[in-house]
Amino acid sequence: MNQVPSNPNSNGAANNTAGGAGSAASGTGSSQANTSPTFSPLYQQIKALITQSLQSGEWKPGELIPSEVELAGRYKVSQGTVRKAIDELAAEHLVVRRQGKGTFVASHNEARAHFRFLKLVPDEGLPHPLDHQYLEVKRIRAAAEVARLLDLKSGDAVVYIKRTMSFEGAPTILEELWLPGQLFKGLTAERLAEYKGPMYGLFESEFGTRMIRATEKIRAVAADAGAAELLKVPEGTPLLCADRVSFTYGDKAVELRRGLYLTASHHYQNELS
């Protein structure tokens, strides 16, 4: 279980964002051969500008953002263009529309956000709360593979976390996490244990790091002796293994996570759109 994840899906391509509303991409017929201008739809440019404001903290998680009319005036575009930009931001879970109240910056502290990244659900009934037990929380030096996936230098400081999660007293998930040490200074076992919300809510509120998206690689494995003891199952029990790299704004990798899941009475559920 202590083995470093072997190349979870990493995404080296960074998002391209527009430089400003109403500006076409540069391309003036210079002497460079085989160079053509690239144009971004206006709503995509507005989306990029709103995202920049989210990233800079102009509007904090859970806060109401300006109305579509106000944003249209700010960027000097039509309300329809702003609406289309916000539609995409809502689809990407960066903002949340609330009927009759407006559009709010999405937050990991919202109850429904907890299950956006936790995909293990019971075969019957609704998802229920998890109990966490932190087994290890320590600062270590990043091994080469961890450093590569988190875009760090080998040997840089990372926070290593190992924990089990139980449904109704039954250990069901065993996780290991690696977090950039520079971003998560001060993260301790005591702080994790006393925080009552989801872990990503703590990362967001106290360390200014919001998880935007993640890539995963999923496969079946057999429980080794260590995992079997912690999950209270016989060695060799089939487990679902998910290796995840999570990203914040700007496609910056900020978390590497390996989860081992018991699926005797639970299943991994994902919605594709």
Side-chain angles (χ1 to χ4, degrees):
M1 184 62 188
N2 291 323
Q3 184 179 359
V4 174
S6 55
N7 193 26
N9 290 346
S10 57
N11 188 337
N15 287 341
N16 295 321
T17 56
S23 62
S26 61
T28 58
S30 65
S31 59
Q32 292 183 349
N34 300 322
T35 301
S36 59
T38 302
F39 297 96
S40 176
L42 187 54
Y43 80 90
Q44 288 282 0
Q45 297 178 45
I46 301 305
K47 176 187 173 185
L49 291 174
I50 296 173
T51 301
Q52 288 173 13
S53 291
L54 296 173
Q55 183 175 1
S56 70
E58 179 179 350
W59 310 309
K60 301 290 191 294
E63 285 186 356
L64 179 70
I65 71 170
S67 68
E68 292 177 1
V69 172
E70 291 171 317
L71 290 172
R74 172 173 174 166
Y75 299 125
K76 296 179 172 56
V77 296
S78 71
Q79 187 177 345
T81 297
V82 171
R83 184 177 299 116
K84 193 168 183 180
I86 292 178
D87 283 344
E88 288 206 354
L89 292 169
E92 294 171 8
H93 305 284
L94 296 184
V95 299
V96 178
R97 280 195 170 104
R98 294 177 183 158
Q99 187 68 33
K101 295 183 179 180
T103 300
F104 294 77
V105 182
S107 170
H108 287 297
N109 283 309
E110 296 173 2
R112 61 181 175 180
H114 181 50
F115 295 99
R116 180 183 167 204
F117 288 94
L118 177 61
K119 300 295 186 179
L120 199 70
V121 297
D123 292 338
E124 297 181 2
L126 298 173
H128 34 255
L130 282 164
D131 295 322
H132 306 81
Q133 181 182 4
Y134 291 95
L135 308 173
E136 290 185 72
V137 181
K138 59 186 179 181
R139 292 178 72 87
I140 61 175
R141 295 190 179 277
E145 184 69 0
V146 170
R148 184 182 70 80
L149 292 169
L150 291 177
D151 197 22
L152 302 172
K153 294 179 181 178
S154 184
D156 279 356
V158 292
V159 178
Y160 172 76
I161 300 171
K162 186 175 183 178
R163 67 175 181 172
T164 57
M165 291 186 282
S166 302
F167 290 106
E168 299 179 337
T172 307
I173 302 172
L174 175 59
E175 284 191 330
E176 291 178 296
L177 296 84
W178 294 261
L179 306 164
Q182 186 68 24
L183 283 177
F184 292 92
K185 287 182 178 179
L187 181 60
T188 64
E190 292 74 19
R191 186 66 193 100
L192 285 165
E194 70 184 14
Y195 187 78
K196 301 307 180 185
M199 182 183 284
Y200 281 174
L202 175 66
F203 294 171
E204 174 186 273
S205 61
E206 297 197 12
F207 296 93
T209 301
R210 174 169 170 74
M211 306 303 181
I212 301 303
R213 69 174 190 88
T215 61
E216 284 192 331
K217 180 172 67 177
I218 300 175
R219 65 184 185 277
V221 299
D224 62 18
E229 180 180 0
L230 292 171
L231 292 174
K232 299 180 180 180
V233 295
E235 189 172 347
T237 296
L239 302 173
L240 188 67
C241 176
D243 288 328
R244 175 194 300 172
V245 181
S246 298
F247 300 83
T248 189
Y249 295 106
D251 242 19
K252 177 178 174 58
V254 287
E255 180 202 53
L256 174 60
R257 180 185 298 225
R258 164 168 287 179
L260 295 177
Y261 303 93
L262 275 173
T263 57
S265 58
H266 293 76
H267 61 274
Y268 193 92
Q269 180 171 302
N270 203 359
E271 294 184 7
L272 305 177
S273 60

